[in-house]
Structure formats: structure tokens, C-alpha cells
Amino acid sequence: MLRVTEHIHIADWELVETFSRSQGPGGQNVNKVETAVDLRFEAERSPHLTPQVKARLKRLAGRRWTLDGAIVIRAEETRSQARNREMARERLAELIRAALVAPKRRIATRPTLASQRRRVAAKQARGDIKATRGKVEDTDE
């Protein structure tokens, strides 16, 4: 069981862990030991998450969200399978915690009259600078 918050716990049936060999250099250890962890969380079927949280979780997960509604997190940073497993579970918990926080609604505001006037004055000044540019007339004396 994965404890996300005090009130939310992810059951073991929702998590599937598969192990494989890590990518990249590493010598004999990387070639013979399956230390990389793929943690799959069936988010869409989870009874512990509300539909709003699932929608935010889908947006936050991005490419890690599969077509069948699962999140796949891969951890292969360390040489220890147990440590990679802990890291994958912690990443999942952090992702769910981030999805639990509802974003604040933005209140649309209008620019102040003074800021509008400053903007127009800056545009006018810039236009005056550009208007003075051009060919220099050759005056013969």
C-alpha cells in the first residue's frame, strides 16, 4: 500500500511493478542485473481519486499517461533495485499530491488608466524616434 496523504492510500492492486535492465553505460552490473523499475498505476480505475483529481493528474502526467488510463513511471538512476523502486513510488506520490491541489481561479482585471496612458506615451515616443530616421540630405555650401 502506497500512502500519498493522510487520507489517500493507493492499494497494491492498483500498482504493477516490472523490472528490466537499465540503459546506458555501467559495465557488467548493468548487463546482468535488472535494476530499472517501471511502476504502472491504474489511475483511471482508482476509486481513491475524484474525477477532478484524475483530470489534473492526466494533464500533469503528460506522456506518462497511457491510452488505457494508467501512469507509467520509470526509475533507473541507482544500481539498487530497492532504491529505484522507492524512487518510483515517491515520484508517483508527488505527482498525485500535485494533482490534489486545485488551481486558483484567475480573476480577470483591467489595466489602470495610468498604465494605459504610459503605454501610449511610450509608443508615441518610440514612433517619434523612428520617424526622425531616414536618409540624410546632402547640403552643398
Side-chain angles (χ1 to χ4, degrees):
M1 182 177 289
L2 176 65
R3 185 172 180 210
V4 179
T5 64
E6 192 173 311
H7 303 291
I8 297 178
H9 303 282
I10 303 301
D12 287 332
W13 67 266
E14 298 176 79
L15 300 174
V16 177
E17 292 173 337
T18 55
F19 302 98
S20 62
R21 294 181 182 156
S22 295
Q23 298 290 318
Q28 282 187 343
N29 189 68
V30 78
N31 294 331
K32 64 182 181 181
V33 182
E34 296 188 343
T35 57
V37 179
D38 284 323
L39 178 66
R40 183 180 174 95
F41 169 55
E42 299 294 336
E44 197 65 48
R45 299 188 310 150
S46 177
H48 303 99
L49 304 176
T50 64
Q52 296 86 6
V53 172
K54 288 178 187 176
R56 286 193 295 268
L57 190 59
K58 182 176 183 177
R59 186 174 42 80
L60 287 172
R63 290 182 2 184
R64 295 175 288 191
W65 187 274
T66 63
L67 293 175
D68 56 330
I71 296 174
V72 178
I73 296 176
R74 184 168 177 85
E76 58 180 356
E77 284 76 30
T78 67
R79 292 176 55 155
S80 166
Q81 187 183 76
R83 182 69 188 120
N84 283 337
R85 190 174 178 209
E86 288 174 20
M87 289 171 69
R89 286 173 165 257
E90 187 53 40
R91 281 189 209 154
L92 176 64
E94 287 174 12
L95 194 63
I96 295 171
R97 282 188 212 111
L100 289 173
V101 178
K104 287 170 51 176
R105 285 188 53 92
R106 184 189 180 280
I107 300 171
T109 58
R110 295 180 59 207
T112 63
L113 186 60
S115 70
Q116 288 177 2
R117 289 184 177 156
R118 281 193 302 269
R119 183 181 64 82
V120 171
K123 286 172 71 73
Q124 185 69 44
R126 190 73 188 151
D128 291 341
I129 290 170
K130 290 185 175 187
T132 59
R133 293 180 187 162
K135 270 191 171 177
V136 178
E137 294 294 323
D138 192 23
T139 55
D140 290 331
E141 290 181 22

